[in-house]
Every structure is written in structure tokens, then in C-alpha cells.
Amino acid sequence: MLAYVARRLVRLVLSLIAVSIITFGLLQLVPGSFSDLAEVGSTALGDQTSGDGGGDSLASRYGDQVPAWEQYARFMTGLVQWDMGPTFKYPQSSVEELMGEAFLVSLSLAVPATLLTLLVAIPIGMVAAVKKDKLADYGSIFTLTTIQALPGYLFALVLVLVFSVGLGWLPVRGWAGPEYMVIPVVALAVQPTAMLARYVRSSMLEALRDEYVVAALAKGGSRRTVLVRHVLRNSLIPLVTVVGPIFAALATGTVFVEVLLGIPGLGRLFTLAARTRDMPLLMGTTLFFALILMVMNLIVDLVYGLLDPRIRHQQRTSSRWRRPRRAGLLPASQLVDSRTQGGRDDGGGGSETPSPDVSAADGTEVRR
Amino acid sequence: MTRATTVRGASEPIRRRTFLAATLAAAAAASAACGFGGSDDGGSADNNDDSGAGGSGDEPQRGGTLRQSMLPVTLLDPAVNANYSFGQIMMIGLWEGLVVADANDPIQVVPGVAESWDISGDGLIYTFHLRGEARWSNGDPVTANDFEWNWKRILTPGIAGESSPSYNRDRISVVGAADYMNGEIDDFSSVGAKAIDDATFELTLEKPDPDFLIYLSQFWALPLHPATVERLGDGWLDPENWVSNGAYVLDEFRVNLGAVLLPNDHYWDKDNYYIDRWEITFNDGGTTADLLSYQSGDLDITGRIEDDLEAVTTSDVADELMSSGTNQYRHLIALNSRHPALHDIKVRKALALAVDREALGGVGKPAIPGKSLVPGDVEGSDEVPGVEYDLEAAQNLLAEAGYPDGEGMPTITILDFQTSPWVEAIAEMWRKNLGLNVVLDIVELGVYSEKLNVPVHPEDYVGFMVTNNSVQPPTVVGAAYNNLQPIRTYGMNLSPPEAVDDILDELGADVDTAQIAAKLDGKRHPEVEQAVELAREALAQTDPEARTSLAIEAAIARDESYVSIPALWGGYFLLVKPRVQNLKPWFHTSVMSTKGVWIKQ
């Protein structure tokens, strides 16, 4: 287990370095520099204050003259020491300070949004599965598919229109108290809820077909007990793989919703950095995004291993891949391997080790 | 409802944002009509007014919260030139300089920390007498030494860890200041900024400058509290340690989110500030979001509307739009191209004369028709005739230049990073009036900035860039500075391509346009060269009257070189709720002061 985690951590660091090189490289290729954009942007807004100075810009700290590799090296050294220095745009704040504050904001949206998603999606998915091929099933699946196809910021806009502009119950935008959280949390939760509910449904359907359900019912268990204690429990295990990435995606900020609703989270910081070509801030936020996603995936895989012994097995065996496998373990690990190869196309997350049950669930969808 | 007067072609697609704004506005209006309308003036105004006037008449009432939205302020340091106007709005509230711009007549100043001042007969020595009651927010008296300390700070490059000093050494000529900044002298005592005693501060200029006091009222001359900065370093920015000498203190500041300013009890002029709490929200999400907040009563003032003024002028709050005097001009600047067409002054003049500015005024609201590069509210602008619409003359000029009815003219490209109805209207006028082929090249901001850095565009790229500039300070002498502004190879640096090639040969291909532009003296087209020369002469003049008249000549020469085609004039625009009383936007970059502003409850 430890070896597995260590191996994953090494991979994680290598991935981060790759992400940093790609981000930095792309930033070099993108037209326009921070100083040029600041100059153009200032006249665009009818402001000329930056135009009448000496023409120097804050970006010259890193400097247009400094070779790109050196800028990169300087930033990465700072990253390792957790001292990334000031950003171009906010010279009085350091990258890590800004990200720290923004991450707290994003987190305080991500946690309730994830909870809301779970609270709503699981019952809907269950009902749809239990009432399969009935109106409740068709109706909810149709609605959920439609919702999943629509972007989250659209919901934010509709919510703003109805509850802020129309009814005047909630503020239009900003971040100054609990009432400012309602619209973003709901808007953020809508899409994952749709996804997760569909997921719960197929997972439940799969479990319902299993023989132990028949056995449990035959034993005299009430339908409700069987559904909740056996079916639901078993079908929830694979959800861990989906919830992890959902949470990671929400915690790293969802760009549109944050910008639209004026929430000072990570997504807003990220767009700002990209728009203004603020190298340190963009590098910092991108790497942070990548880190969160990878760490969440790692956690998901570990948790999954704890929940499902077969996966734990796989982790252990693959971390000892140099050793000859014991004969008794072979069939099981082969089974797992063959089932994981196809990957998952229904999750929308980024888990690197999809669960066997997930692909099985997909199989159900196809057969249906 | 204000009807929008648009002259767009029917085939022109509706802009996404406009559509969005319109849809939202329509829905908002519909829901209001259904009886859903929220309270109009928000709920957050405190009712703790002590005026007891019973809401009658124009007697200012104390109390209330002013809620304002602006672009995110990234930096609060008078020593650093990194701020949009929005940062300056805050800074002008937090600190007070020696003199303050007068809201009633923004070209004048009124006493600030300095109760009075004397100017020597030769116009070189300014002696400021500080008021005894001026206090920092911690109760310390504000002294002349504090000002000397701050002058030293702003003149020491990198002192705030930055390389972009706010002191403008090209325009402000305090003795020794530029040398000290450039590191040529180390001894600050040879700089003309001295505390004579605790209550007397003296500034010495190299040459007389009638605009000096206006400059001095700007953000860069605001003083930090020396003891706090020395004790805490960068920690002075922390609201917990905040000490300033203006009408407000900083109670809260959150990056990308907003700030709260509270009255400074030690401020000597606090009786003229009526607001209890000034809440500032930062918005980088665009005009639509801000407009919605404003319409639903969450905001009292927003200036976060500049990138889509059209959405504001077509909304139901259009009549709440306030403007400062006009000192900004929207214009098209000729780009340097290898094609000879725009190098011919006749062609440029023809293009300038073929623009019907009255019609532009209809689509460019709230900006107004602008015939010159010296906007109407700039002092001395009436002496500058500008360009009049004359279609016949334009057509004749084009024929004289060898392009009768536009025959043989290359396609004219107009480069911009956003669509504007007035630019589209100019393109249409040139197509219809002169028979030209005109295309708009709307590109992403980064691509735009790169295209501006091309020293000479190829033969098939002939045209203009769109921009908005201002005259600062709003005097004709300020306008003369604009003749010398451009640091690139277009506009006032329009030159024969061969001249640029020679410089490129000399400097090597890997230089930026600023380096090329610096070597263009004497190589530009003669009419442009003249405008540059006249501006230089004007600024070198020590006699104020001669200076003004030369500046006027320079402005006329610039207009008549037709390297820039003026289109519209504007100022700073703010949406202000009717409950906010006595607010007067001015045309300085600090846009407004809250002095005398009160909230009707």
C-alpha cells in the first residue's frame, strides 16, 4: 500500500512538472504580454494613467528581457519554496496569498454544492431505478439529460433573474454573507446532480439484477430493507469515483459561475490571470488546479481500495509488479484488469483507476 | 424607456452581450410588471441620520451607506503608477494631498492639507502653509516633514518594490526630481521638495507651469503615514494597521472582492463628508452583471460600464448616467503600411472629411460628436477648429490623390478588439461616401496588442486602429503632450516605410517599436513632423501665454496632419442612483470625490 502511494506521488509530481512546462510554453505562444495588454486595456476603459508614465510596467520584474527559461526557473524555484512572489496584476499580494483566500471561497461553495448534489441525486436516481420504465423514470431521466446538456452558468442566470431581479429575495452578485451563497451553490450543484442521478440509477439497476437481491427477497426481507440495506449500499460504492472528481472540479472553481456572480474564488482568479497574461498567477492557479484534481483522484483510489477489497488487491499486486505473481491471485487480478481497461465514459471526472463496477454499470446502459 | 437610435445595417449580427443584456432587461421589466419588483433603493441604507430635517428639501442628510462598484483595484500605493481610475477614486478618499481638485470647477484646486500657498513672482517656488488641524487617523499631526518624506519615497525608484513610479518626470519639473529618480544625484537635499518647518512645505520648479497645482491634486502626491510605513513595511496596507489623513480610513480590503471605507474621525474637514460607510465592490465580470446589480438596487454608483455603454444607454436607467466634462476622444489612428495610400495626406484628409460626426453621435451615445483631438471641455479647445464633414471636398481630394471614386484604393482595415457601433458606422460612411472597401478586423486583445507592435504592416494591410485617449490635465497644454505620446510607429509616428526600414537595418530586426519610434525624429512625414516640433516648442516655453498659443498651434497641426481621425468625445461615465445627491464627476483620472455627497433617505 505504501509503495503504491509512493509510486502515485512520484507520478503526481512528474505530472505537475509536465503541466507546468505545458502551461508556461503555451503562455509564451499566446499573443500579447501583460504589459502590452495593460496598456491597451487602460485606454480601452478611457483611462490613461498608465499611458503617461515612464512606460515601465510591473511585468518588468520578471522582465521582457529575461529569457523565458529563466522566468520559468525563477517561478518554479519559488513554487518549491512556497514563495511564488507577487503577481503582475496584484503587486501587493503574493500568488500563494491570493490562491489561499480564493481557495477558501471556492471550498465554501464546493462543500455545500457537493452535499446538495448527493442529497438530491441519490433519491432521484433511486426512484428512477425502482420505477424503471414508468413515468417517474422517463420523466426524471429526460429532465436530467436535458439539464446535463445545459451549462451551469445558464442556471445561475435564470436563478438571478427569478430570485434576485424578479423576486428580490437574493442579491444579484457579490460575496458578503450566507445569502450570497444560495444561487451559486444551487447553480453549481445542478449539473453534477443530473450526472450523479443518472449514475445512481444505472448503478442501482445493475445491483437490482444481482442474485443476492433475489436471495435477500427470498429470505423474506421487505422490499424497502433490501433496497436500502443491500442494493443502495452496494451501488453507492462506485459513486466514490464520481464524487471525488465532482468535488475537485467544484473546489477548483467553476469559472463562469464565479465570474458571473462576482465570487472571488479560484475560477475567477484563473480567468483573470489568463486574460491579463499574468504569468505567476496563471502558473500558480493552473498547477493548483492540477494538484487538487490529482490529489482527489489519489484519495478516491485509496478510499475505493478500502471499500472494495478487489481493488486493494490490484493496488498491491501492481505495486509489486517485478515479483512473480502468486498463482492463486492471478484470476482475480486478471479479471479486474480486463474490466478496467475500457475506462469510463459516463463519469466526466478524471479518475485514473476506474472501478470495475463502473464499467459494469456502463454495460448495463448498453444492454438496456 | 430611452429609445436607442441605431443606424446599424440590417444584416449586422446582434452582439451576444447586447442580446443577453436585452433579454435580461426585458425579463426584469416583465417580472417587475408582474408585481415582483424589489425595493428600489436597496435596503442597506442606515437610518441613523442626525440631521432631523425630516427628509425635506436640499439640506444634506448625514448617514447612509454608499455602495459603489468598480473594476478590481489591484494596488493602493500612491507611489506606483499601476492604477486605473478606480484605484484613484479610493485613494483620493483615503488620503489628502496639499491641494484638492475642485468639484465645481475641476480645472481649479481648493486647499487640502495646505491651508494656503504662495507662488513666487517667477512662478518657480510654491510655498505651502499647512493647516494646524490636519491630523492622521491615529491623531498625529500632519507635518511638512511627512510630505518631504513622501516626496523622497515616490522619487526613489523601486522603493515600493516596483519599477513603475507614479511621478511623471516628463511632465512635472520639480528641481532635481528627475535626476534623483534616474540615480544621477544621491543627495535628496538638492531636490526642490523641502520642509521649511513643521507647517511650511516648499516645492521648487525648473520652469513655470500653470498646470502644476492640478498635477499636485492627483493621486501620486498623496502622503503615506511615514511612521507606519517605516515600522511595518508592506504591513501598512493592512486595514488593521491603517493610518491615513483623508476623509476615510480603510476598514476592509479584499482582493477581487471589495473594500469598506469608514469616516476618519480625525479628518479636519469631516463635516463636509456625510456618508457613514462607503462599500466598494470589485467587479471584473462585465457591464451586464453590474447593470443588473444596479437595476435591482444593490448598487448606488457604478462606473463599471465602460466596456458596454451601449447596454446602459439602451436600458431603463439610461437617464441616471452622469458624465464628467469631455476630455476623452475616440479616434482612428493611421497604421504604418507599405502601401502608399495612407502616406498621402490627401487620402487621410479625404477619409477624415467623409465622416459625418453628427450621425456618429447618434450611435456613439453617451459620447458626443467630436471633431478634433482636443475635446470640448478642455481649456482652450475653442481655439482649435477641428475637422468638418464635407463630402464633396472629400471626394475631390480622393480623386486628386489618384483614387477617383475609390478606384485603386486598397481595402481599408479597421483594427479593434471589440465591436463598436460608431466604428461600424464610419466603415459604412467610407463605403457609401467614398466607394471604398472597408473591413473590420476585430481580434482578441493579445493579438491586437501584437498587431500594434508591427513596425510596418505589409502592402495588403492598410488602415487604422481604434482607440480612446484622454487629455490630462484637461488643458490645451495637456493636449500638446499627446502629440508626443505615441511610442509606436503609427499615428504621430507615421513615416515613409523606407525610413523605418533604415532604422530597422541600423538597429537589427529584433527591436521593439518604441526603439524605432525613438529614432524617427526628422524622418516622419513633414506635416506630422511639424505637429511634433510645435508640441516640443510649446512644452519648452517658460512663458505661460506663449506656451498656450504654441500648444494651440500644435493641436491644430496635429488635427491637420490627419494621422488620427477624431470621431467622438466623452468623459468619465457613472451610473448614479437619484438618492445619491450632489455627486459631480470630474474629468481627472480620479473621476469623483465624495466631498459634499449625501444620501437621501
Side-chain angles (χ1 to χ4, degrees):
Chain A
M1 190 70 176
L2 273 180
Y4 171 77
V5 173
R7 209 163 49 87
R8 286 289 300 265
L9 285 178
V10 171
R11 238 165 70 189
L12 189 148
V13 171
L14 290 178
S15 306
L16 278 181
I17 294 174
V19 169
S20 74
I21 292 174
I22 293 170
T23 311
F24 191 81
L26 285 176
L27 195 55
Q28 300 302 308
L29 296 177
V30 170
S33 67
F34 177 81
S35 45
D36 285 348
L37 288 183
E39 192 192 324
V40 175
S42 67
T43 55
L45 287 161
D47 262 331
Q48 264 234 304
T49 51
S50 54
D52 60 11
D56 299 329
S57 116
L58 299 167
S60 54
R61 185 189 4 255
Y62 277 87
D64 294 341
Q65 300 82 20
V66 181
W69 68 266
E70 207 181 310
Q71 292 183 39
Y72 176 77
R74 208 177 289 181
F75 178 83
M76 289 307 279
T77 317
L79 178 72
V80 172
Q81 295 160 349
W82 198 239
D83 173 22
M84 287 172 269
T87 84
F88 292 167
K89 183 87 181 158
Y90 296 96
Q92 287 171 333
S93 319
S94 67
V95 176
E96 57 273 12
E97 255 171 43
L98 284 179
M99 289 201 315
E101 279 182 32
F103 183 55
L104 279 183
V105 172
S106 289
L107 206 61
S108 58
L109 286 182
V111 172
T114 311
L115 288 177
L116 186 67
T117 301
L118 289 172
L119 284 176
V120 177
I122 293 174
I124 293 184
M126 268 180 74
V127 170
V130 174
K131 310 260 180 201
K132 187 171 171 327
D133 294 336
K134 300 219 173 87
L135 185 65
D137 180 31
Y138 287 134
S140 60
I141 288 302
F142 175 79
T143 315
L144 294 175
T145 313
T146 314
I147 287 176
Q148 208 181 340
L150 294 172
Y153 62 85
L154 194 70
F155 286 100
L157 268 182
V158 173
L159 292 172
V160 166
L161 260 185
V162 177
F163 293 101
S164 311
V165 179
L167 300 170
W169 292 350
L170 294 167
V172 174
R173 60 192 310 283
W175 187 251
E179 71 272 25
Y180 289 83
M181 288 173 69
V182 179
I183 289 179
V185 164
V186 174
L188 285 177
V190 166
Q191 254 196 321
T193 304
M195 190 185 88
L196 198 69
R198 280 161 44 91
Y199 205 86
V200 170
R201 176 182 172 275
S202 46
S203 185
M204 286 268 293
L205 284 178
E206 171 68 10
L208 278 171
R209 265 193 213 98
D210 276 340
E211 285 168 1
Y212 68 82
V213 178
V214 182
L217 286 171
K219 236 169 54 180
S222 75
R223 197 170 153 76
R224 165 184 283 246
T225 317
V226 172
L227 270 179
V228 174
R229 292 197 44 190
H230 299 279
V231 179
L232 182 62
R233 245 170 117 178
N234 274 304
S235 56
L236 283 188
I237 295 178
L239 291 192
V240 174
T241 44
V242 200
V243 174
I246 286 180
F247 179 76
L250 292 177
T252 47
T254 33
V255 173
F256 285 112
V257 171
E258 286 189 4
V259 171
L260 196 72
L261 299 176
I263 294 159
L266 273 180
R268 193 156 155 215
L269 213 52
F270 175 73
T271 41
L272 180 91
R275 214 174 49 221
T276 58
R277 318 283 193 263
D278 189 333
M279 189 274 283
L281 193 57
L282 188 67
M283 290 286 282
T285 44
T286 312
L287 288 175
F288 192 67
F289 276 31
L291 181 72
I292 299 262
L293 267 176
M294 288 188 236
V295 168
M296 278 317 292
N297 281 337
L298 179 62
I299 292 174
V300 163
D301 289 348
L302 294 178
V303 168
Y304 205 85
L306 290 178
L307 294 176
D308 188 335
R310 286 173 297 177
I311 303 295
R312 194 154 61 228
H313 236 25
Q314 186 208 7
Q315 289 169 354
R316 191 183 308 139
T317 50
S318 56
S319 68
R320 291 179 188 163
W321 60 278
R322 281 165 201 279
R323 297 183 189 175
R325 291 173 179 175
R326 274 178 291 167
L329 284 177
L330 259 177
S333 56
Q334 263 174 356
L335 175 72
V336 170
D337 282 348
S338 69
R339 290 172 88 187
T340 49
Q341 240 140 45
R344 187 186 62 234
D345 54 10
D346 188 27
S351 178
E352 287 168 6
T353 318
S355 77
D357 299 59
V358 169
S359 39
D362 279 354
T364 322
E365 286 276 289
V366 174
R367 278 201 302 277
R368 185 162 62 89
Chain B
M1 268 315 244
T2 315
R3 285 292 302 151
T5 40
T6 36
V7 295
R8 291 175 173 196
S11 62
E12 193 241 357
I14 298 172
R15 291 169 58 203
R16 193 174 43 81
R17 204 191 292 144
T18 314
F19 174 70
L20 187 65
T23 317
L24 290 175
S31 62
C34 296
F36 290 140
S39 68
D40 253 348
D41 54 3
S44 83
D46 304 330
N47 282 323
N48 53 349
D49 74 323
D50 47 30
S51 68
S56 67
D58 293 314
E59 215 26 57
Q61 292 169 316
R62 272 190 195 281
T65 300
L66 184 69
R67 299 157 307 161
Q68 182 167 9
S69 165
M70 49 177 74
L71 270 179
V73 171
T74 57
L75 186 64
L76 274 183
D77 186 341
V80 185
N81 182 32
N83 276 285
Y84 291 117
S85 290
F86 301 110
Q88 297 181 29
I89 294 177
M90 280 179 69
M91 287 200 264
I92 290 281
L94 290 166
W95 291 286
E96 184 174 65
L98 293 165
V99 292
V100 176
D102 181 359
N104 295 313
D105 181 8
I107 207 74
Q108 302 298 332
V109 296
V110 292
V113 173
E115 201 166 26
S116 63
W117 52 90
D118 312 312
I119 307 172
S120 65
D122 55 6
L124 293 180
I125 301 173
Y126 286 68
T127 310
F128 297 92
H129 307 289
L130 275 56
R131 62 182 73 245
E133 70 269 35
R135 290 275 181 282
W136 294 97
S137 53
N138 64 354
D140 290 355
V142 181
T143 68
N145 287 312
D146 295 340
F147 279 92
E148 186 180 315
W149 184 92
N150 274 284
W151 270 85
K152 188 173 178 185
R153 180 173 186 270
I154 61 167
L155 293 179
T156 308
I159 196 160
E162 307 308 339
S163 55
S164 184
S166 59
Y167 177 81
N168 189 337
R169 65 194 107 170
D170 300 328
R171 294 205 186 181
I172 307 161
S173 58
V174 167
V175 168
D179 290 342
Y180 188 82
M181 257 183 135
N182 298 337
E184 283 157 33
I185 51 172
D186 294 335
D187 181 12
F188 191 74
S189 63
S190 51
V191 176
K194 283 189 183 59
I196 306 296
D197 56 47
D198 269 359
T200 316
F201 185 65
E202 189 179 273
L203 288 169
T204 311
L205 304 186
E206 279 165 2
K207 57 183 188 204
D209 181 357
D211 294 336
F212 179 64
L213 287 174
I214 280 292
Y215 277 121
L216 204 61
S217 72
Q218 294 174 349
F219 80 98
W220 60 270
L222 299 171
L224 300 187
H225 183 236
T228 306
V229 179
E230 278 174 356
R231 187 163 52 88
L232 298 170
D234 276 348
W236 67 265
L237 274 155
D238 196 339
E240 281 176 27
N241 308 318
W242 190 263
V243 181
S244 62
N245 72 331
Y248 299 89
V249 290
L250 190 66
D251 183 56
E252 212 181 299
F253 186 90
R254 288 194 60 193
V255 167
N256 250 340
L257 183 62
V260 177
L261 280 71
L262 297 179
N264 172 9
D265 290 337
H266 288 96
Y267 181 51
W268 65 272
D269 196 21
K270 63 180 174 186
D271 290 347
N272 280 316
Y273 288 78
Y274 299 96
I275 293 152
D276 260 357
R277 187 179 166 86
W278 188 5
E279 277 176 15
I280 289 165
T281 317
F282 298 147
N283 170 23
D284 57 2
T287 298
T288 308
D290 234 41
L291 193 55
L292 267 182
S293 294
Y294 180 84
Q295 284 172 318
S296 68
D298 291 348
L299 293 173
D300 298 314
I301 302 178
T302 173
R304 177 62 185 101
I305 46 176
E306 295 277 352
D307 59 351
D308 197 359
L309 283 167
E310 194 197 350
V312 178
T313 51
T314 52
S315 73
D316 58 349
V317 290
D319 56 341
E320 290 168 18
L321 194 63
M322 290 183 82
S323 171
S324 69
T326 54
N327 73 325
Q328 299 177 15
Y329 52 103
R330 275 149 227 204
H331 57 139
L332 305 184
I333 301 179
L335 297 170
N336 224 6
S337 164
R338 294 203 179 277
H339 196 286
L342 290 188
H343 291 287
D344 185 342
I345 186 172
K346 285 180 186 150
V347 174
R348 298 197 304 266
K349 186 173 179 183
L351 291 171
L353 294 186
V355 174
D356 179 358
R357 290 173 183 79
E358 289 306 318
L360 285 190
V363 283
K365 277 179 187 171
I368 58 170
K371 57 180 181 164
S372 155
L373 301 170
V374 186
D377 287 330
V378 170
E379 210 177 45
S381 64
D382 14 332
E383 309 280 331
V384 185
V387 190
E388 296 294 344
Y389 176 52
D390 187 344
L391 190 49
E392 208 184 315
Q395 286 161 341
N396 290 340
L397 276 166
L398 203 61
E400 271 177 50
Y403 306 102
D405 296 324
E407 266 170 54
M409 270 289 282
T411 297
I412 299 289
T413 308
I414 304 180
L415 172 67
D416 202 352
F417 56 87
Q418 59 193 358
T419 56
S420 318
W422 65 269
V423 176
E424 285 159 21
I426 290 181
E428 193 53 37
M429 287 170 192
W430 285 347
R431 285 184 201 121
K432 265 189 11 208
N433 295 343
L434 300 177
L436 300 181
N437 193 15
V438 186
V439 294
L440 302 186
D441 184 20
I442 313 290
V443 293
E444 190 267 342
L445 198 58
V447 179
Y448 176 86
S449 76
E450 286 211 333
K451 286 198 172 182
L452 299 188
N453 278 326
V454 176
V456 189
H457 287 275
E459 196 143 346
D460 58 356
Y461 200 93
V462 184
F464 298 84
M465 61 168 283
V466 182
T467 197
N468 181 36
N469 288 100
S470 66
V471 178
Q472 291 291 356
T475 63
V476 73
V477 174
Y481 280 105
N482 287 356
N483 287 22
L484 310 175
Q485 266 295 306
I487 49 158
R488 293 201 173 105
T489 53
Y490 47 69
M492 294 302 287
N493 280 327
L494 196 73
S495 351
E498 311 83 61
V500 181
D501 284 341
D502 286 348
I503 297 170
L504 277 173
D505 287 345
E506 186 194 328
L507 295 175
D510 198 25
V511 291
D512 59 35
T513 43
Q515 287 169 283
I516 303 169
K519 288 196 164 267
L520 276 172
D521 269 356
K523 293 181 176 166
R524 305 175 183 94
H525 291 295
E527 61 275 10
V528 196
E529 202 66 45
Q530 196 201 356
V532 172
E533 274 314 310
L534 279 169
R536 286 210 179 110
E537 276 175 41
L539 299 174
Q541 257 310 323
T542 49
D543 173 48
E545 262 174 50
R547 196 179 190 201
T548 303
S549 70
L550 271 170
I552 290 169
E553 275 183 54
I556 295 171
R558 185 183 177 198
D559 277 357
E560 292 182 351
S561 68
Y562 302 104
V563 289
S564 274
I565 299 181
L568 294 167
W569 289 339
Y572 290 101
F573 296 108
L574 295 174
L575 266 175
V576 182
K577 285 272 180 213
R579 75 187 196 115
V580 178
Q581 303 279 310
N582 205 26
L583 183 82
K584 295 169 191 151
W586 57 37
F587 44 32
H588 301 299
T589 46
S590 51
V591 187
M592 56 166 262
S593 153
T594 54
K595 184 173 178 175
V597 173
W598 57 281
I599 292 170
K600 203 168 190 169
Q601 288 158 17

